[in-house]
Amino acid sequence: IPMAVVDQQTKNSRGQRLDGAVNTALIVKVFAGEAATHFELTEDDGDSVAYLTGQFATTRLEQQLNGNQLRVKVAPTFGSYVGMPAQRRFQFELVVGDYAAAAARLNGEPVSFVNVSPGLVRVAAASLSSDSNKELVVDLRPIAPRAPSGLLVCANGKTSPGVSVYAVGNIPALGDW
């Protein structure tokens, strides 16, 4: 799923910001799967109907999970439009199920990553040329199964927001605490 940075300073779909800066970063959310999948991202100037005369660009993105390794490929952008960025930053949000990242490489070079939460990995890359191949390879490790949680109910208790609650007791199903 292609996405763009949107916050209080975002002015339009081309990444222009209220302070005059431009943020053309592309966020790509990938749902890892063993079946190879792909899609074509189509972009235009966002203002006109120039796409009707061929002024647009397409970029093919692919993914495949093979064992404990996820590959995401971004092909060179084909076509052009007025205002098209020659380079852009990429951020990959990888939904990887019961895995966490152990290592990540972009075009063969190690890159930083963050295991945001169980099953979600974020990789940010520096600015890359729109006319080059990009390949992200992420080595994954299985996440240990989480211990079951318990719900504690107190029918006669009251608290205020921000006040800590401590429970005292011993229930074998919750590990004899």
Side-chain angles (χ1 to χ4, degrees):
I1 299 172
M3 300 180 290
V5 175
V6 177
D7 60 19
Q8 296 85 352
Q9 294 296 310
T10 302
K11 185 176 175 183
N12 59 28
S13 63
R14 292 185 317 278
Q16 293 178 333
R17 303 178 58 74
L18 295 175
D19 64 3
V22 178
N23 186 342
T24 59
L26 179 62
I27 303 167
V28 180
K29 189 163 192 171
V30 176
F31 293 84
E34 291 179 6
T37 58
H38 71 273
F39 71 91
E40 300 268 335
L41 169 63
T42 301
E43 300 174 278
D44 63 15
D45 66 16
D47 283 329
S48 71
V49 293
Y51 65 90
L52 295 172
T53 60
Q55 293 185 39
F56 63 90
T58 58
T59 307
R60 181 181 172 102
L61 295 103
E62 305 173 4
Q63 76 77 41
Q64 184 169 19
L65 178 63
N66 188 1
N68 287 354
Q69 194 172 73
L70 173 62
R71 289 184 183 275
V72 178
K73 296 179 182 180
V74 180
T77 299
F78 177 77
S80 66
Y81 56 90
V82 174
M84 181 177 128
Q87 293 198 328
R88 66 175 5 149
R89 288 183 306 114
F90 283 82
Q91 180 175 311
F92 299 91
E93 291 193 1
L94 311 172
V95 180
V96 293
D98 294 332
Y99 292 95
R105 295 172 300 288
L106 182 62
N107 297 334
E109 297 295 321
V111 290
S112 298
F113 62 89
V114 175
N115 289 304
V116 178
S117 61
L120 180 61
V121 177
R122 187 170 292 142
V123 179
S127 189
L128 300 168
S129 173
S130 297
D131 62 359
S132 67
N133 282 305
K134 294 157 269 304
E135 182 178 46
L136 174 66
V137 178
V138 180
D139 298 326
L140 301 169
R141 60 176 171 75
I143 297 173
R146 297 193 302 181
S149 61
L151 173 64
L152 302 175
V153 178
C154 179
N156 298 317
K158 293 182 181 180
T159 65
S160 299
V163 175
S164 296
V165 176
Y166 298 91
V168 178
N170 187 357
I171 301 173
L174 295 178
D176 288 332
W177 50 279

